Amino acid sequence: MKQEERRQRTLRQLIDATKALIQEKGCHSITMQDIMGRSSLSKGAIFHYVNSKDELFVMLLQEGLEETNRRFMNEIEEGRRNFDDPMQKIKDSIVEYENPQNVTNKVLVYLFGKEEDPAVAVALKQYYDRSVFLSQLWIETGQQHGVIPKTVEADKTAELFTLMTLGFRIRARIPNVQAIVKAQDLTALMTDILNPGKNGKRKDERAWEFG
C-alpha cells in the first residue's frame, strides 16, 4: 500500500471512530484513550496526525465543509452547470445542519466554548474564513456559468450565507426550541437572492418574506 493510501486509511479510521464516539458520549466526555480503543490505532499512530482530541475535532469539522464543496464541484465537473443541481448539494447540507444530532454541529458548539485556547481560536478563524471563501467560490462559479446575476455581490452574499448557516447550526444545539424558520425557508431565501424569480416570486417582493 502506498504511503498516501495508508495515510488516508488511517485518517478515515480516526474520523469515523471519533464521529461514532461523539454520537454516543458527546464531545466533552471523549478521551484519547476512547479514540484509541474505537479506532484500533496505537497512541503513536494517532499522535502522528494530531496532538489532541480538539485537533481531531477540527479535522472532522473541516471534512464536513470540504465534502459539501466536493459534491458541489462534482456537479459542475459532470456537466450539470445549471442552478438547481449544484445548489441542491448546498441545500442538502443545510437540511443536515438543522439536525440536532449532526456531529459537526456538536463539534462546532463545543469548540466555540474553547475559543480562549489559542489553537482552537486559530482553527475557528480558519474554518470561518474557509466557509466564506467556499460560499463565494460557489456564487462566482454560478456567475461564470450565467445562472447567477453578476449584480449579486459575491463577497457580501457569501458572508451573509455563512452567518445564516452558523445561526442554524447553533440553534440546532439549543434544547426545546420550536423552530419557525426551517431549512427550506433559508434555502428558498438563498435561491431568491441568487436566482431572482426562481421561486416564482415577483421582483418587487422582499427576499425575507418566506413563502
Side-chain angles (χ1 to χ4, degrees):
M1 182 183 294
K2 295 180 180 179
Q3 183 175 357
E4 180 58 24
E5 291 176 349
R6 187 179 298 109
R7 175 181 177 276
Q8 291 299 325
R9 188 179 71 172
T10 301
L11 288 173
R12 185 77 267 145
Q13 283 179 256
L14 268 176
I15 290 172
D16 288 347
T18 304
K19 285 181 178 179
L21 286 166
I22 290 171
Q23 291 289 33
E24 292 174 15
K25 304 178 66 171
C27 294
H28 290 84
S29 301
I30 298 172
T31 66
M32 291 301 287
Q33 192 68 36
D34 292 329
I35 295 170
M36 287 170 56
R38 179 59 63 90
S39 66
S40 300
L41 294 169
S42 68
K43 181 178 180 180
I46 293 175
F47 279 86
H48 180 72
Y49 296 100
V50 295
N51 293 316
S52 68
K53 74 172 188 179
D54 288 347
E55 285 189 22
L56 189 51
F57 288 169
V58 168
M59 188 183 298
L60 191 157
L61 192 64
Q62 292 170 337
E63 185 199 45
L65 182 60
E66 298 303 331
E67 177 62 18
T68 300
N69 184 54
R70 184 188 67 78
R71 292 176 181 176
F72 178 92
M73 289 303 175
N74 279 349
E75 294 295 314
I76 304 299
E77 291 168 4
E78 291 176 10
R80 291 183 281 274
R81 298 172 183 176
N82 52 37
F83 182 83
D84 292 329
D85 293 324
M87 183 64 186
Q88 186 60 49
K89 301 307 175 184
I90 298 172
K91 289 180 179 180
D92 291 343
S93 68
I94 292 173
V95 169
E96 186 56 29
Y97 290 160
E98 202 172 31
N99 177 8
Q101 298 307 313
N102 179 275
V103 170
T104 58
N105 287 351
K106 294 182 179 183
V107 168
L108 186 63
V109 172
Y110 167 81
L111 291 174
F112 278 151
K114 302 194 70 176
E115 79 283 357
E116 292 183 3
D117 181 324
V120 172
V122 169
L124 286 170
K125 173 66 162 52
Q126 290 174 341
Y127 179 76
Y128 180 81
D129 288 346
R130 182 66 175 168
S131 297
V132 175
F133 172 82
L134 289 178
S135 293
Q136 183 170 342
L137 175 64
W138 300 335
I139 294 168
E140 290 174 345
T141 299
Q143 290 175 324
Q144 290 167 11
H145 293 291
V147 297
I148 296 176
K150 295 287 188 180
T151 52
V152 173
E153 295 183 81
D155 53 352
K156 290 184 178 180
T157 306
E159 185 167 12
L160 175 63
F161 288 170
T162 299
L163 292 171
M164 288 177 174
T165 54
L166 282 174
F168 254 63
R169 302 181 75 175
I170 293 170
R171 187 186 68 182
R173 297 301 302 149
I174 302 174
N176 304 318
V177 170
Q178 296 298 314
I180 298 175
V181 179
K182 305 288 187 178
Q184 60 266 30
D185 295 317
L186 177 55
T187 57
L189 172 60
M190 293 169 71
T191 297
D192 194 59
I193 292 171
L194 297 175
N195 198 329
K198 186 69 182 178
N199 290 324
K201 294 184 178 182
R202 300 190 313 273
K203 290 183 178 180
D204 60 346
E205 283 187 295
R206 303 172 81 174
W208 53 83
E209 290 178 351
F210 302 116

